[in-house]
Amino acid sequence: MQALGRQILVEFYDCDREVLNNEALIREILIEGARRSRATVITDTFHSFSPHGVSGVVVIAESHVAIHTWPEHGYAAVDIFTCGETIDPWVIQKYLEERFRARNVSSMELKRGLFPERVPHKPVLEEASV
Amino acid sequence: MQALGRQILVEFYDCDREVLNNEALIREILIEGARRSRATVITDTFHSFSPHGVSGVVVIAESHVAIHTWPEHGYAAVDIFTCGETIDPWVIQKYLEERFRARNVSSMELKRGLFPERVPHKPVLEEASV
């Protein structure tokens, strides 16, 4: 079975609460993590909630990195969705773990879009199929 | 155990390939799906790939809906991440299934941010904790 995408779901517990409530810093961390994995950043959008908490997404050419933080619980949910084999999503996970000072981390890797046959990473247009 | 977030991972197979390659239409479908679930749309970002494929995220006050499509395989990966109990993420899943004309759908629901004690959906700021 071949997968079109791979996704890492990360639960960051016991993080630095000030970091998790700092929208500008979280944005910088996610973009820097994406760059370190050699992802191509296309755009990003971040939002702070009242009284606290930050949500954001960095859209990369290879898919996306999304985050939702609950600073009051020292918790952040992060999804790293990638396609192709040019970038290593675990580079992002490790970088975030370090910058969030997470003392308790649980990660799961999933394969998305499973097909029985070999599929190309950068698929070629099939005539009359699209 | 109480969860801060819930996430539905959806694999849409055997979809309408023209729909999956239409960025404007996909954006409209995701935003309409979010609205039908009573989510509050904050912002969105969509991107078309060459030669085909669309990625996009709709950021909602209750978290996000993300999509990556491979029209040439009739496949779309969708993540619906929500927090709180005011919206039903399955409304979005059902609406997308209908609009994508997906003939083969596999969905999984995950709980994110598990804590042993009862946590409020809209947490109250704890003094000196943030």
Side-chain angles (χ1 to χ4, degrees):
Chain A
M1 297 290 274
Q2 297 294 324
L4 293 172
R6 71 197 278 214
Q7 183 172 17
I8 299 177
L9 307 178
V10 196
E11 306 278 270
F12 289 112
Y13 289 101
D14 300 323
C15 301
D16 184 317
R17 294 174 179 216
E18 288 189 12
V19 173
L20 294 195
N21 207 31
N22 186 330
E23 180 185 327
L25 182 58
I26 290 172
R27 178 177 180 272
E28 181 223 305
I29 292 170
L30 260 67
I31 289 175
E32 177 61 20
R35 284 188 181 138
R36 287 180 181 223
S37 77
R38 301 191 177 183
T40 303
V41 175
I42 293 177
T43 185
D44 66 87
T45 175
F46 283 80
H47 186 76
S48 291
F49 290 89
S50 176
H52 36 61
V54 174
S55 284
V57 183
V58 176
V59 177
I60 57 179
E62 300 80 4
S63 294
H64 76 264
V65 183
I67 187 167
H68 303 287
T69 76
W70 281 260
E72 70 281 18
H73 296 291
Y75 167 78
V78 170
D79 287 10
I80 307 166
F81 195 123
T82 63
C83 57
E85 287 172 4
T86 56
I87 73 169
D88 180 358
W90 289 100
V91 169
I92 302 173
Q93 190 264 12
K94 283 289 166 203
Y95 183 70
L96 269 53
E97 178 177 342
E98 179 190 317
R99 295 293 306 272
F100 293 163
R101 295 181 197 139
R103 282 172 293 165
N104 186 352
V105 180
S106 166
S107 302
M108 178 166 54
E109 180 169 336
L110 303 174
K111 291 186 176 181
R112 300 291 298 265
L114 285 168
F115 285 84
E117 73 274 43
R118 174 81 187 160
V119 293
H121 298 302
K122 292 184 177 177
V124 176
L125 185 65
E126 290 164 30
E127 206 172 325
S129 73
V130 180
Chain B
M1 297 290 275
Q2 297 294 324
L4 293 173
R6 71 197 277 213
Q7 183 171 17
I8 298 176
L9 306 178
V10 196
E11 305 277 272
F12 289 113
Y13 290 101
D14 299 323
C15 301
D16 184 316
R17 295 175 178 217
E18 287 190 12
V19 173
L20 294 194
N21 206 30
N22 187 330
E23 180 185 328
L25 183 57
I26 290 172
R27 177 177 181 272
E28 181 223 305
I29 291 170
L30 260 67
I31 289 175
E32 177 60 21
R35 285 189 180 138
R36 288 181 180 223
S37 77
R38 302 191 177 182
T40 304
V41 174
I42 293 178
T43 185
D44 67 87
T45 175
F46 283 80
H47 185 78
S48 290
F49 291 91
S50 176
H52 37 61
V54 174
S55 284
V57 183
V58 176
V59 177
I60 57 179
E62 300 80 5
S63 294
H64 76 264
V65 183
I67 187 168
H68 302 287
T69 77
W70 281 259
E72 70 281 19
H73 296 292
Y75 167 78
V78 171
D79 287 10
I80 307 166
F81 195 121
T82 63
C83 57
E85 286 171 4
T86 56
I87 72 168
D88 180 358
W90 289 100
V91 170
I92 302 173
Q93 191 262 13
K94 284 289 166 202
Y95 183 70
L96 268 51
E97 177 177 343
E98 180 191 316
R99 295 293 306 273
F100 294 163
R101 295 180 196 138
R103 283 172 292 165
N104 187 350
V105 180
S106 167
S107 302
M108 177 167 55
E109 180 170 336
L110 303 175
K111 291 186 177 181
R112 301 291 297 266
L114 286 168
F115 286 83
E117 72 274 45
R118 174 79 187 163
V119 292
H121 298 305
K122 293 184 177 176
V124 176
L125 184 65
E126 290 165 29
E127 206 172 323
S129 74
V130 180

